[in-house]
Amino acid sequence: MVSLKQLVKNPLKVFGAGTKAGKGFRPEVFDSHVMTTYGRFPLALTRGAGCRVWDDQGHEYLDFVAGIATCTLGHAHPIMVEAVTQQIQKLHHVSNLYYIPEQGALAQWLTEHSCADRVFFCNSGAEANEGAIKLARKYGHTELGIDEPVVITAKASFHGRTLATITATGQPKYQKSFSPLVPGFHYVPFNDGDALEGAIASLNASGPRVAAILLEALQGEGGVNPGNVEYFQRVRQLCDQHKILLILDEVQVGVGRTGKVWGYENLGIEPDVITVAKGLGGGVPIGAMMCKSSCDVLGPGEHASTYGGNPFVCGVALAVCQTLESENLMANASARGQQLRQGLLKLVDAYPELFEQARGWGLINGLVLNGDAPLTSLDIVKAAMNEGLLLVPAGPNVVRFVPPLIVSAADVDEALKKLSKAVKILS
Ligand SMILES: *Cc1c(COP(=O)(O)O)cnc(C)c1O
């Protein structure tokens, strides 16, 4: 097994990555066959190693997107290569009609490393949130005697692209064109305890209606906006007082990214339900909904997924989770995150007309544009790409940095240099 040190020192050699680029890619053929649901950059990535990826022309990029906070161990990590290879040779898919030992082992890891007691496996973040919404509704019916349970969510949140999760998402831009939305949701401003208390009071005025509150510990897509400790303490207390479930959407921040296993560990509270996906599989599609035994209300036949928790994804996800611990990647996320934020803050100081602040936890960080800046986050992302650095916007005013958790101090320095150069050219 290759050590993290070797990996960071010489990813190309360690991974044995070749130099041949996948030439011959034709974007016009792609565009005439794939739906236009994504605004794509004119870039075809064909190979990766560590924190670097290469396009079909052989150009190298430092990858601070990581499949949007997904490639926890970077690209072609030897542990992932081995886990994928071993599992596909052994058994890759069977139905949940049977016991799947790898699923049990991953559930055990997740419950031993969180406040949750039980896990349901699915394939994505949206699907994990769908499961949590179903669990909340059943809890509302059976435990609180509510006919039409309401789930409160936050403005500027993001919970996925299915019908229920775009409804849960407190951003009209994701909802327009898709009415009628799903009933049973109510929105409050994020980090505002009074607003939440008021909403519960008015919704519950003539008997209980609120079954759950669904929040991100740190709003990712909505602008890398961390939850506030006092706010979350108050949310927890209001939930206890009214027997409301607190569901935390940890799809973007869970599994080590914030320097702790879970985002909620930064807030000093425990949720009743946790949803997770992105970083869990390191890039293989897996999601999970976890809950405390006190609200484990779904029974046989009430929820299911054909692919959910199959041996392949669970075997790989377990290897990712074990590597988080064995390679001390949470400590790396904290240290490299601090280094990155310090660099970003220098940039904020150097260009006050462009930037307002830099914020985040561990290795999820946002560079926030000044309200009067003549640029958008997309302009910065494009300029950085020209310098060989991949970044992703989090809304029009925030540039997001979510590199693999194996990122080295040298990678962070290099990213900051490339970004400074890009900003200099733009300004
Ligand atoms: C990405 C994301 C989702 C949706 O996950 P998918 O796997 O794309 O369905 C949900 N919630 C949060 C917080 C996310 O960042």
Side-chain angles (χ1 to χ4, degrees):
M1 200 59 51
V2 185
S3 77
L4 182 64
K5 263 201 202 100
Q6 284 172 280
L7 191 88
V8 159
K9 228 165 64 194
N10 195 345
L12 269 184
K13 189 154 172 219
V14 169
F15 290 109
T19 49
K20 253 187 281 164
K23 289 264 162 63
F25 176 76
R26 289 163 62 201
E28 63 286 1
V29 176
F30 184 103
D31 286 336
S32 59
H33 293 92
V34 179
M35 285 193 197
T36 52
T37 61
Y38 299 94
R40 287 187 181 80
F41 296 107
L43 184 63
L45 299 174
T46 53
R47 192 163 60 83
C51 294
R52 274 147 220 275
V53 288
W54 286 264
D55 69 13
D56 60 329
Q57 313 293 310
H59 299 129
E60 182 180 308
Y61 298 85
L62 194 48
D63 184 9
F64 273 44
V65 177
I68 312 194
T70 294
C71 302
T72 306
L73 305 183
H75 302 279
H77 192 294
I79 290 172
M80 275 203 74
V81 172
E82 186 175 296
V84 165
T85 308
Q86 272 190 5
Q87 197 58 52
I88 204 107
Q89 286 174 340
K90 198 165 136 202
L91 183 68
H92 72 290
H93 181 82
V94 288
S95 168
N96 280 300
L97 290 167
Y98 316 104
Y99 280 100
I100 298 172
E102 292 80 4
Q103 188 182 127
L106 179 60
Q108 185 177 4
W109 191 95
L110 288 168
T111 53
E112 284 177 359
H113 291 78
S114 74
C115 63
D117 301 308
R118 295 270 162 68
V119 189
F120 172 86
F121 289 101
C122 53
N123 313 289
S124 68
E127 208 186 339
N129 287 329
E130 285 275 344
I133 293 162
K134 279 178 72 177
L135 181 141
R137 285 186 169 188
K138 180 163 185 206
Y139 172 90
H141 290 302
T142 61
E143 309 301 305
L144 304 176
I146 304 173
D147 285 338
E148 300 206 333
V150 172
V151 175
I152 296 180
T153 69
K155 292 181 179 164
S157 59
F158 183 81
H159 299 294
R161 300 298 202 125
T162 61
L163 269 179
T165 58
I166 58 168
T167 310
T169 293
Q171 299 192 59
K173 72 171 174 183
Y174 294 108
Q175 301 168 337
K176 72 169 173 45
S177 318
F178 304 110
S179 64
L181 295 176
V182 176
F185 290 90
H186 184 89
Y187 313 94
V188 293
F190 188 55
N191 275 339
D192 183 339
D194 291 341
L196 179 62
E197 187 164 353
I200 296 169
S202 74
L203 285 162
N204 281 1
S206 46
R209 282 183 64 202
V210 182
I213 298 170
L214 166 61
L215 295 170
E216 292 156 274
L218 170 154
Q219 292 189 324
E221 304 296 317
V224 189
N225 191 17
N228 167 310
V229 174
E230 299 79 58
Y231 171 69
F232 271 88
Q233 310 262 331
R234 183 126 170 241
V235 172
R236 181 68 269 177
Q237 180 250 317
L238 285 165
C239 286
D240 291 342
Q241 189 184 331
H242 299 277
K243 296 202 169 84
I244 295 169
L245 292 181
L246 175 53
I247 306 170
L248 281 198
D249 177 344
E250 295 251 0
V251 168
Q252 191 152 160
V253 298
V255 197
R257 179 151 297 278
T258 70
K260 315 224 187 253
V261 183
W262 304 107
Y264 70 77
E265 294 172 58
N266 298 280
L267 297 168
I269 51 118
E270 286 189 357
D272 303 297
V273 180
I274 305 165
T275 57
V276 54
K278 290 189 169 88
L280 177 60
V284 300
I286 182 170
M289 187 247 306
M290 330 204 288
C291 73
K292 294 205 176 196
S293 44
S294 54
C295 57
D296 182 18
V297 294
L298 296 174
E302 291 192 322
H303 199 44
S305 163
T306 297
Y307 281 131
N310 83 14
F312 178 70
V313 293
C314 288
V316 178
L318 184 60
V320 171
C321 290
Q322 288 169 339
T323 307
L324 265 188
E325 285 192 303
S326 62
E327 304 275 11
N328 217 357
L329 295 182
M330 261 115 35
N332 193 56
S334 291
R336 299 289 70 81
Q338 205 161 17
Q339 178 192 353
L340 178 61
R341 269 188 310 282
Q342 273 166 7
L344 295 178
L345 286 169
K346 274 190 197 150
L347 213 57
V348 173
D349 283 345
Y351 297 93
E353 70 289 2
L354 288 184
F355 304 118
E356 193 174 288
Q357 63 162 320
R359 63 189 178 208
W361 291 339
L363 282 174
I364 176 159
N365 291 288
L367 177 62
V368 184
L369 278 111
N370 191 323
D372 313 320
L375 302 170
T376 65
S377 52
L378 191 58
D379 297 321
I380 310 259
V381 166
K382 284 179 181 164
M385 188 181 288
N386 276 334
E387 299 307 319
L389 170 65
L390 300 185
L391 300 173
V392 57
N397 301 319
V398 180
V399 184
R400 181 170 26 168
F401 302 76
V402 281
L405 305 191
I406 59 161
V407 74
S408 71
D411 291 334
V412 171
D413 279 340
E414 189 182 329
L416 286 166
K417 265 192 206 117
K418 288 183 190 308
L419 177 66
S420 297
K421 205 167 154 203
V423 172
K424 200 175 208 169
I425 291 170
L426 276 176
S427 66

